[in-house]
Amino acid sequence: MAPVAATTLPEVDVCVVGSGAGGAPVAWECARAGMSVVVLEKGPRYQARDFVPHDEILHCRRDFFVPFERDEPHLLARDGAATAARTRFGWTAACVGGGTMHMTGLFFRLRPEDMRLRAALGAPEGADVADWPVAYEALAPFYEEVEDYLGLSGADDELPAEWRRGRAFPLGPVVAHPLKNVLMDAARAQGLHPFTTPRAILGAPYRGRAGCTYCHFCGSYGCEVDAKSSALVTWLRDAEATGHCEVRARAMAARIETDADGRARRVVYLTPGGERVQPARVVVVACTAVESARLLLNSASAAHPHGLANESGLVGRHLTFSTGGTVRGVFRYARSPVPEAVLRSPGMFVDASFQDAYVARGAGLPYPKAGTVQLNLMHTNPIYHALEVALETSPPRFGKALKDALRDRVRGGRTIEAESFCEFLPNAGTRVTVDASVADRFGLPAARIDLRHHPADLAASRHLQSLAEKVLRAAGADPVVVLHPGEADYLQHGTCRFGEDPAASVLDPNCRAHETKNLFVTDASFMPTSGGVPPTLTIMANAVRVARFLVAESRAGRL
């Protein structure tokens, strides 16, 4: 049977590939400027009703948000291993709205030193640290604009001076569990300066969206009342309301094609109904650092034999994650110095953070850049807890021993989890390539992730863990368990680094490809350094900045 010819659609001004934190703000800015926009998203589009009930098996254990490895594998090789394993590692989400649909909404800004890390602290041997081509001051107005647009909840007067707004957040802090005060006092007693974590969660109704219902199922779940400021219920909803933006779900971008002048002109994508071709004057890629690199590398052609925008050979290089370590403190009802009435409070948010070791000069670290510690009540997922309790002994617990241990964890007290977000130094051992020998369910070569930590990463993460451990012990937690540090694979950056020099970067300071002047990348791929916070707010702020540039260039006839 002869193959069905691809359907070529009418040209639009902008085709955005990816609908999450990096793509959705661009769609909104271009659509409200009157440009015709198509957003392609490989996954489904969920409705609020799809998030009820809070089913851990459906949402966290199946392919509701993240594909099964048998269908869409990533390949992972650690520490120089020649063989890579099939894995779900490096997937953030595959649905309209991307990872913002199930995020916990921790919205920290980067700090000024993040943009000039090499100038301020140098680069240790084995790390390829580069300064940003834009300063914090250039991004600050966009941070503030995004915070106001989304309706962030927080307390500006508590924040570190380096990134304080100077005026109140749109909404005050979400309602906190009383353990927050206990932890804040314990941190202050250790000489630290805790603050309320800014959240992209509405503590009250805002711009037509309802406030949080405090359901205890936030991170890893979608929000059925739209209190979580996902890309879907903010940027995309507003973009579609203009009449100039169309979001196409289940549209898997296979490759970007160029014209005779080397400009990106067509996105070829796959749907359940067959292959489609979307011509566009401008193409914006925002699929996550891993998947954006994969798309550009899979767009190799006779004109671009090494992949699109990759004459420098840098697409896929400088991949970073967020180095992280966890410390858990248990406040047992039977013996905690904290009153049982406080511990049994129904609150769910603690939202206490500190950044006293963001830059850790004098701490004896091999590189004096650490990051952020954020404390919160541990997630209530029952299957997650059962697996942890079963596997924390050797041989694993089973039967009555497992039931007793699980009952003790769930009913014996409250557990605070201190999560750290730490600098991941870019290095030659961490990158993305594509492996033509392994294909996903679309028949496209899979992304291979090679991962190696610089020794300074883990040392800094352990330092943050030691600070968190002291806080939890001072607050009265017993036991306190320190887990081995690693990385958060869903916090990823750097595969299309931006900079002034085309030989040392993929994108220019406005996130436009040096080689392809109508191609932009607006997820965290642009970031030369990871910073010591989750990047979601930075991705959105930078996407707005880049979109404004894109609109201005289009109006001037330069695209």
Side-chain angles (χ1 to χ4, degrees), residues 158-175:
E158 297 178 2
L159 296 179
E162 289 84 354
W163 55 286
R164 193 170 294 164
R165 289 162 48 96
R167 62 187 182 90
F169 279 103
L171 297 173
V174 293
V175 176

Side-chain angles (χ1 to χ4, degrees), residues 32 123 257 325 365 431 538:
R32 72 171 180 161
E257 297 180 342
L365 297 174
R431 63 177 299 192
T538 298

Side-chain angles (χ1 to χ4, degrees), residues 14 16-33 37 39 97-98 100 107 142 145-146 149-150 229-232 234-240 245 247 284 286 522-523 535-551:
V14 183
V16 180
V17 185
S19 63
V26 176
W28 158 236
E29 289 292 337
C30 292
R32 72 171 180 161
V37 180
V39 179
T100 67
F107 266 43
F142 298 101
E145 187 173 331
V146 171
Y149 173 73
L150 296 181
S229 296
S230 71
L232 174 58
T234 56
W235 310 102
L236 292 179
R237 181 176 290 178
D238 288 348
E240 290 177 312
C245 176
V247 179
V284 178
T522 57
D523 54 34
T536 314
L537 174 58
T538 298
I539 297 170
M540 288 182 174
N542 183 69
V544 173
R545 180 186 72 89
V546 172
R548 299 272 171 82
F549 171 81
L550 188 164
V551 169

Side-chain angles (χ1 to χ4, degrees), residues 59 62-69 88-94 102:
H59 294 137
R62 295 183 178 159
D63 61 346
F64 189 84
F65 285 122
V66 175
F68 287 134
E69 61 193 62
R88 300 172 90 178
F89 183 97
W91 277 108
T92 299
H102 62 78

Side-chain angles (χ1 to χ4, degrees), residues 70-101:
R70 69 168 181 261
D71 296 328
E72 298 180 52
H74 284 161
L75 306 175
L76 177 65
R78 289 184 179 271
D79 299 322
T83 303
R86 293 171 69 106
T87 178
R88 300 172 90 178
F89 183 97
W91 277 108
T92 299
C95 62
V96 175
T100 67
M101 297 303 293

Side-chain angles (χ1 to χ4, degrees), residues 68-346:
F68 287 134
E69 61 193 62
R70 69 168 181 261
D71 296 328
E72 298 180 52
H74 284 161
L75 306 175
L76 177 65
R78 289 184 179 271
D79 299 322
T83 303
R86 293 171 69 106
T87 178
R88 300 172 90 178
F89 183 97
W91 277 108
T92 299
C95 62
V96 175
T100 67
M101 297 303 293
H102 62 78
M103 66 180 179
T104 55
L106 308 178
F107 266 43
F108 302 88
R109 294 188 187 191
L110 289 176
R111 290 171 43 151
E113 52 265 45
D114 287 311
M115 284 73 170
R116 49 183 178 83
L117 200 58
R118 188 181 186 94
L121 302 178
E125 184 177 353
D128 189 4
V129 178
D131 289 336
W132 293 36
V134 298
Y136 174 86
E137 290 73 19
L139 205 55
F142 298 101
Y143 274 136
E144 186 167 339
E145 187 173 331
V146 171
E147 291 161 353
D148 289 346
Y149 173 73
L150 296 181
L152 252 63
S153 301
D156 183 65
D157 58 347
E158 297 178 2
L159 296 179
E162 289 84 354
W163 55 286
R164 193 170 294 164
R165 289 162 48 96
R167 62 187 182 90
F169 279 103
L171 297 173
V174 293
V175 176
H177 189 285
L179 260 175
K180 175 183 178 180
N181 295 328
V182 175
L183 293 164
M184 298 274 269
D185 289 343
R188 294 185 189 103
Q190 299 299 307
L192 302 171
H193 301 83
F195 57 89
T196 297
T197 308
R199 283 263 190 175
I201 295 171
L202 303 184
Y206 189 78
R207 292 189 175 179
R209 291 188 289 129
C212 181
T213 60
Y214 301 94
C215 67
H216 285 264
F217 292 88
C218 192
S220 302
Y221 295 87
C223 182
E224 67 269 31
V225 298
D226 294 345
K228 186 181 298 185
S229 296
S230 71
L232 174 58
V233 302
T234 56
W235 310 102
L236 292 179
R237 181 176 290 178
D238 288 348
E240 290 177 312
T242 67
H244 299 298
C245 176
E246 179 187 357
V247 179
R248 296 178 190 157
R250 301 192 184 278
M252 173 61 181
R255 65 187 179 276
I256 300 167
E257 297 180 342
T258 58
D259 62 16
D261 296 325
R263 300 171 74 82
R265 285 305 188 199
R266 295 170 294 278
V267 179
V268 179
Y269 66 99
L270 309 175
T271 76
E275 185 174 283
R276 304 285 186 267
V277 179
Q278 179 58 68
R281 291 175 50 241
V282 179
V283 176
V284 178
V285 176
C287 313
T288 75
V290 170
E291 285 293 299
S292 288
R294 176 190 178 210
L295 175 59
L296 295 177
L297 294 171
N298 278 340
S299 297
S301 63
H304 306 280
H306 306 296
L308 190 58
N310 194 35
E311 285 303 306
S312 65
L314 295 178
V315 171
R317 293 190 180 273
H318 307 122
L319 171 66
T320 60
F321 296 97
S322 178
T323 305
T326 300
V327 182
R328 290 178 185 156
V330 181
F331 292 80
R332 295 193 180 279
Y333 298 137
R335 66 170 188 261
S336 173
V338 180
E340 185 172 342
V342 170
L343 296 178
R344 290 189 181 276
S345 168

